[in-house]
Amino acid sequence: MLEALVSDIRANARFHADLQGLLGERMGQALARDSGRAEPEGSALDRLVQSAGLFSLSVDPDARHDAFAIATAAFELYGGTLGGLADSLTLVLSRLGHFPALDFRAEFRDRPSRLPTPVLLEATGRRIQNTIAMAGGELSLTDFQRVIWNDLKSDRSVIASAPTSAGKSFTFQMHLVDQLSRGRVRNGAFIVPTRALISQVSAQLAERLSGLPDLDARVLTIPVAPADKARPSIFVMTQERVQVLLGDPAFHLDIAVIDEAHLVGDGDRGVILQSVIEDLLARNPATQLLFTLPQVHNPDALARIFRIADPQVRKTGDSPVGQNIILLDVQDSVPDRVRAQLWDKGLASESLSFDLATSLVDPDQKLVYLAWFFGRGSQSIVYGDTQSRCEKLAWLLKDLVEHEEESPVAEQRRELSRFIQDHVHPDFLLAQTVLAGVGFHYGHIPSLVRRAIEVAFDERILDFIVCTNTLLQGVNLPARNIFMRCPEKGEEPLEAVDFWNLAGRAGRLGKEFEGNVFLIDYADWEKQPLGAGPEGRVQSALQEQVIHHSDALLDYIGNASIESGKDTLLENIFSRLFKDFRLGKLEDTLDHIDAPADVRSSIQAGIEEAARTIQVPDTTLGENPTISPHRQQRLYAKLIRDVPKKGVDYYMPPHPAGEWKKVQSKLINVYRRLQVELDGQPRGDAYKRWATLSLQWMRGQGLPDLIQYAIDQDQRRVADGQAAGRRLRSRSRASIIRDILKDVERELRFKFVKQMGCYNSVLREVLLEIGEHRAAAHIPAIPLFLEVGASSETMLSLIDLGLSRISARLLQQRAANYGMDRETALAWLRRQDFRAIDLPLIVQREIAPLLA
């Protein structure tokens, strides 16, 4: 009966007119930054509030969405004059189970309720049902979180698909910590899609663990198997780092959280993710897998992809934070006026017009000015497609706001600027934009600097952040407003699922009820994501490529001359299938992905043909699943032929801590072999630059020095060219800095980590085959040194404790002992008087949890 009544009300034209009127009023208030309105005339508000009370009891997700929108809009508009609206909102949100949205406002925490006793008992009862007791205290959850929490206690794997702000990751983190605190698990992992997320998630988990002083657990972020394997551990890593850990046959997990699991369909990295999860299950079939997904049509597809027998699949469209989609349009005929319309389920409200102080014609000028015009006074994200565009938009925003009155947080901004200058470079544009309260954020920025930007934004030291698609991959930067104009990912228009994932960052759970998503010139967007809806589809990149693009795969398998890295998706799939062939699992894999008979037979024939020329042992192939077996064979053939001739020392990689010239010379020789045998590039001397840059990085050299070295080289290039009569131009400092940051992240910490890992494992196999067992045990861990940017044991231990490279480097400079292991380093830290040590506040804040 209730559902029929709800359906009748929502089908009534008068209801829709009332609702559009209320939401239009709320939009006008928000855009004009007005305070609460006077008491409304007529009975429309009464009708809507009564409807919201009924809708909040419905199972219809659209009705529940309307209930939330009505209750929050009414309260924000008239809560100051109509005291009963606070009680109405309390009732509606309680019925919806949105308790985290209630708990942050003093109006609800501190005021005595005036709800009638039966209704108050109902609301209180719902809260009790959604409150859980766990180590560290009680916690009120949303309905969706409570359902997931109950599922987790069954030890079954859980697949959770929900909007961005629904609290999926938070719930899984709490479960992971709770299970460790109760001694039910020893090893857990939180697998994140990007390195940018490692510091954020590891800091969150470390903070949760710090509230449990009796639990001697640790958070590990670098791929080194811990010496004390009996101690409870949470590994926070990308799939590539977990893949390295799987090189230890004893490594296994009790619980694994896979964040943004839909990225199993994301090209080469999706293939790696699928292989890692399958390997974890092969090690321990009882591993509890917990998947977070945005809203997708088919979350249960993960059960088939990973062969999970009986998972609990949960899906919801409910969110405790609402998003207002606002269309902004500046017409060419009147470029100094903007029209705003609220979009809801395919309908747009009547437009409001705002006169501007300037004419807007240039697209970037338009995006920046409207972000400032509607976003000032609150916290806003501006979406910039590329790193260079992020910097440009941030600079334009700075130009708009820097002449405003000095901010009360000006000193904090200056401190942040000094930190960026000292630890990236004085000419890095970010150091200047933060002075105006404008930051930018992309994946190549050093982790501690990114984290400092995130914290400054969260603490309202920064008002604007210009961001690339790092936001799409789980980085938690919720804001009041998000501004987009014709957004792209890479060089393609943003897909609907990515758009809605990004839009879900608008509105901060625990800080406000709603957020605003401003779409500028939406009619000009190449793709129209509003019409497609928020739900994407989950698919396996491995299956997609094998079934639908098998010809390209077969060509790759049959061509031994293709260099490593030319097509990473095909390379990873070939490596995966070849490994399965060696292990006798190829038929099973092709069966599982439903490969057609003709494709199956062609792939089997191609793999069998390739196997005739590849003698690399299974163990070595398994340690290098992202390097083509063909290229591994080339390297193996060279080393097995030449190491006995020229001697072990000639081919042994040098430890970075040795004498500079000697180490540089030997590393250059190693990198030349990588370029020839893996890259397939016998000509050119790029290997010299990469070897030198790698050595500087592994020896702990600071980014300012690396960047200044590149700037000085560019100036020498111009001077030499001019001396030779050529007219050369210097590169901009901004582009040089971006390139060095990219070189560190993409080349040193990704490409050369993979290639040096391959070199070391092939060399180790060769040394064992020729009887050089002692030498095989002393091959330096160059891949690890490249990954973390350090080679001293002390600096590695500090990073292993969860500190960034910047903090570890500053601390090592103050330590006499460069050979401290993890426990010795922690004890050293706790002995220090940091009041007497001149460390940046940002570094002190990172160290603080270790001293608790």
Side-chain angles (χ1 to χ4, degrees):
M1 184 173 181
L2 171 68
E3 299 299 337
L5 179 58
V6 168
S7 180
D8 287 345
I9 295 172
R10 297 189 70 251
N12 190 298
R14 189 175 185 184
F15 164 76
H16 286 285
D18 290 347
L19 179 59
Q20 287 297 312
L22 176 71
L23 298 182
E25 277 286 300
R26 172 61 185 141
M27 181 185 71
Q29 177 202 33
L31 296 187
R33 292 182 294 280
D34 291 344
S35 56
R37 304 291 177 90
E39 185 174 341
E41 297 181 0
S43 57
L45 184 64
D46 289 338
R47 292 194 299 270
L48 286 171
V49 171
Q50 290 177 29
S51 298
L54 289 172
F55 293 178
S56 62
L57 294 170
S58 175
V59 297
D60 180 352
D62 290 333
R64 292 168 64 85
H65 173 272
D66 287 345
F68 181 86
I70 292 167
T72 54
F75 177 78
E76 297 289 13
L77 279 166
Y78 306 114
T81 54
L82 298 176
L85 286 175
D87 293 306
S88 298
L89 181 58
T90 298
L91 176 61
V92 168
L93 294 190
S94 297
R95 286 176 170 175
L96 292 173
H98 291 347
F99 295 104
L102 277 172
D103 290 342
F104 75 95
R105 294 284 286 261
E107 293 98 315
F108 309 107
R109 285 197 318 266
D110 304 334
R111 64 186 292 278
S113 175
R114 290 178 290 181
L115 287 169
T117 300
V119 180
L120 178 60
L121 289 174
E122 176 195 344
T124 304
R126 284 298 306 276
R127 179 180 283 274
I128 291 172
Q129 290 175 9
N130 281 33
T131 299
I132 61 170
M134 56 179 299
E138 293 186 339
L139 188 65
S140 293
L141 304 176
T142 67
D143 281 359
F144 184 66
Q145 289 175 314
R146 180 57 174 160
V147 167
I148 291 176
W149 188 262
N150 290 340
D151 293 338
L152 292 170
K153 299 308 175 186
S154 69
D155 294 330
R156 294 164 62 188
S157 293
V158 177
I159 300 169
S161 171
T164 301
S165 52
K168 309 178 292 291
S169 296
F170 171 83
T171 307
F172 288 161
Q173 282 190 26
M174 299 305 291
H175 173 67
L176 192 50
V177 171
D178 186 58
Q179 293 298 287
L180 260 70
S181 70
R182 298 179 189 277
R184 293 174 179 169
V185 302
R186 305 300 293 176
N187 288 327
F190 204 104
I191 302 175
V192 295
T194 64
R195 284 198 297 260
L197 261 175
I198 290 175
S199 59
Q200 189 174 90
V201 173
S202 61
Q204 292 167 347
L205 284 165
E207 182 179 358
R208 303 194 201 293
L209 290 172
S210 68
L212 304 169
D214 296 333
L215 176 61
D216 185 26
R218 59 196 164 184
V219 178
L220 303 173
T221 60
I222 61 175
V224 177
D228 179 9
K229 295 185 180 181
R231 186 177 172 191
S233 303
I234 302 176
F235 301 86
V236 181
M237 299 181 181
T238 60
Q239 56 261 43
E240 288 85 1
R241 293 191 183 185
V242 176
Q243 195 170 54
V244 174
L245 287 176
L246 286 165
D248 176 2
F251 177 77
H252 70 280
L253 295 173
D254 303 306
I255 298 178
V257 180
I258 300 91
D259 201 26
E260 306 290 338
H262 63 292
L263 295 175
V264 71
D266 189 22
D268 58 328
R269 300 194 68 232
V271 175
I272 296 172
L273 179 60
Q274 182 169 344
S275 296
V276 163
I277 302 305
E278 290 174 350
D279 285 348
L280 287 172
L281 285 174
R283 299 279 178 92
N284 179 17
T287 301
Q288 186 180 28
L289 299 177
L290 311 177
F291 300 94
T292 78
L293 291 163
Q295 287 182 266
V296 295
H297 288 289
N298 60 332
D300 55 325
L302 289 176
R304 180 187 55 77
I305 292 171
F306 295 113
R307 309 190 197 196
I308 306 170
D310 186 30
Q312 186 60 261
V313 181
R314 299 294 182 181
K315 177 180 175 181
T316 186
D318 275 4
S319 172
V321 179
Q323 277 85 38
N324 302 316
I325 307 295
I326 300 171
L327 309 180
L328 299 179
D329 181 45
V330 178
Q331 296 183 340
D332 293 341
S333 56
V334 190
D336 58 352
R337 177 181 297 169
V338 59
R339 294 189 309 169
Q341 291 179 287
L342 183 67
W343 181 93
D344 185 42
K345 301 184 187 71
L347 301 174
S349 67
E350 293 185 9
S351 63
L352 300 175
S353 292
F354 296 85
D355 291 330
L356 308 173
T358 187
S359 295
L360 302 180
V361 179
D362 177 79
D364 285 346
Q365 176 210 20
K366 189 182 298 186
L367 173 58
V368 164
Y369 187 90
L370 293 177
W372 169 79
F373 185 82
F374 290 113
R376 65 191 191 276
S378 57
Q379 290 178 285
S380 302
I381 289 173
V382 179
Y383 184 75
D385 310 307
T386 64
Q387 296 174 9
S388 60
R389 188 159 181 248
C390 273
E391 295 182 7
K392 176 186 177 183
L393 294 174
W395 191 261
L396 292 174
L397 266 171
K398 167 187 172 293
D399 190 53
L400 275 173
V401 303
E402 67 181 347
H403 301 299
E404 297 176 353
E405 226 174 84
E406 181 165 278
S407 167
V409 293
E411 181 52 41
Q412 291 97 311
R413 292 175 177 175
R414 284 191 284 269
E415 180 183 359
L416 178 58
S417 175
R418 287 192 294 270
F419 179 78
I420 295 166
Q421 292 179 60
D422 289 344
H423 297 288
V424 181
H425 194 269
D427 293 331
F428 192 31
L429 293 178
L430 184 62
Q432 299 176 60
T433 64
V434 296
L435 293 172
V438 180
F440 53 82
H441 187 289
Y442 51 73
H444 294 162
I445 295 174
S447 63
L448 186 58
V449 177
R450 277 199 314 267
R451 186 64 183 148
I453 293 297
E454 293 161 8
V455 170
F457 190 62
D458 187 60
E459 295 180 350
R460 303 186 72 89
I461 295 169
L462 299 177
D463 299 319
F464 294 91
I465 284 189
V466 189
C467 196
T468 62
N469 61 21
T470 51
L471 270 184
L472 298 174
Q473 296 167 326
V475 172
N476 187 27
L477 278 178
R480 173 70 180 179
N481 309 302
I482 291 180
F483 294 85
M484 291 181 262
R485 184 188 180 280
C486 302
E488 295 182 344
K489 180 181 178 183
E491 297 181 357
E492 298 295 327
L494 208 62
E495 297 291 342
V497 64
D498 288 332
F499 166 81
W500 288 106
N501 197 3
L502 182 61
R505 306 289 171 186
R508 299 168 299 175
L509 180 60
K511 297 186 179 179
E512 55 207 359
F513 295 126
E514 62 187 1
N516 301 313
V517 183
F518 292 90
L519 312 184
I520 299 170
D521 293 342
Y522 182 70
D524 295 338
W525 290 24
E526 186 174 336
K527 289 194 175 181
Q528 305 279 306
L530 294 179
E535 294 193 344
R537 294 193 66 84
V538 176
Q539 62 181 8
S540 159
L542 174 64
Q543 182 180 40
E544 171 71 15
Q545 183 68 37
V546 170
I547 293 178
H548 300 293
H549 306 282
S550 59
D551 288 346
L553 177 59
L554 289 166
D555 288 344
Y556 190 96
I557 293 171
N559 188 348
S561 65
I562 297 178
E563 59 266 31
S564 178
K566 183 174 183 179
D567 190 320
T568 53
L569 173 58
L570 295 178
E571 185 170 20
N572 286 0
I573 291 176
F574 173 38
S575 299
R576 160 66 192 270
L577 296 179
F578 193 86
K579 173 188 170 185
D580 288 344
F581 169 78
R582 283 281 188 87
L583 296 176
K585 301 194 309 182
L586 180 58
E587 287 191 22
D588 179 61
T589 296
L590 295 174
D591 281 342
H592 180 60
I593 62 176
D594 299 321
D598 58 333
V599 170
R600 182 196 315 267
S601 61
S602 297
I603 288 177
Q604 288 175 323
I607 295 284
E608 289 170 2
E609 179 64 27
R612 294 189 179 95
T613 61
I614 297 173
Q615 287 86 44
V616 182
D618 293 349
T619 303
T620 304
L621 288 170
E623 289 173 352
N624 304 286
T626 60
I627 302 289
S628 165
H630 286 313
R631 306 312 300 191
Q632 291 191 54
Q633 174 60 33
R634 286 181 63 94
L635 181 60
Y636 176 76
K638 176 179 177 56
L639 295 184
I640 199 71
R641 181 183 67 243
D642 291 350
V643 171
K645 296 177 183 177
K646 296 186 178 180
V648 173
D649 191 62
Y650 186 79
Y651 287 94
M652 179 71 77
H655 193 288
E659 191 272 324
W660 170 269
K661 287 187 178 180
K662 181 179 179 181
V663 172
Q664 183 190 31
S665 176
K666 293 194 72 172
L667 195 62
I668 283 174
N669 283 334
V670 172
Y671 272 49
R672 178 175 54 80
R673 294 175 202 124
L674 299 180
Q675 180 175 304
V676 173
E677 308 303 340
L678 298 184
D679 289 340
Q681 301 292 333
R683 298 179 181 176
D685 59 359
Y687 61 89
K688 296 179 182 178
R689 173 180 180 266
W690 291 120
T692 302
L693 184 61
S694 294
L695 183 55
Q696 292 171 313
W697 175 249
M698 290 188 289
R699 287 168 75 103
Q701 201 162 329
L703 272 174
D705 296 329
L706 301 185
I707 291 168
Q708 190 59 50
Y709 180 76
I711 290 172
D712 293 344
Q713 279 189 316
D714 184 66
Q715 290 175 342
R716 285 194 293 271
R717 174 187 64 83
V718 173
D720 291 346
Q722 290 174 345
R726 299 194 304 273
R727 298 180 62 183
L728 300 179
R729 299 174 61 181
S730 297
R731 298 177 59 208
S732 72
R733 297 286 175 94
S735 65
I736 291 174
I737 293 171
R738 276 197 308 273
D739 281 351
I740 290 295
L741 295 179
K742 182 181 72 174
D743 288 345
V744 167
E745 291 299 315
R746 285 191 183 178
E747 304 298 324
L748 304 193
R749 301 187 68 196
F750 189 72
K751 174 185 174 180
F752 287 110
V753 166
K754 292 194 303 180
Q755 291 197 348
M756 280 305 307
C758 180
Y759 185 89
N760 278 6
S761 61
V762 171
L763 178 62
R764 183 180 300 109
E765 177 61 33
V766 168
L767 293 177
L768 293 174
E769 289 185 25
I770 65 175
E772 295 283 355
H773 295 268
R774 191 166 183 177
H778 286 86
I779 298 174
I782 302 292
L784 173 64
F785 303 158
L786 284 169
E787 173 74 28
V788 300
S791 54
S792 79
E793 189 174 358
T794 292
M795 198 165 165
L796 288 168
S797 296
L798 291 168
I799 293 171
D800 193 31
L801 286 168
L803 299 182
S804 64
R805 181 181 188 264
I806 289 174
S807 296
R809 181 171 177 269
L810 289 175
L811 289 167
Q812 180 181 261
Q813 291 171 355
R814 291 158 174 79
N817 182 358
Y818 276 30
M820 291 188 280
D821 62 18
R822 179 188 169 100
E823 299 308 319
T824 306
L826 180 58
W828 177 85
L829 274 177
R830 289 175 172 168
R831 291 197 306 270
Q832 304 310 303
D833 180 4
F834 286 103
R835 293 170 299 180
I837 299 177
D838 183 22
L839 287 174
L841 180 60
I842 291 166
V843 172
Q844 293 182 42
R845 290 173 69 162
E846 189 179 41
I847 296 170
L850 296 175
L851 308 179

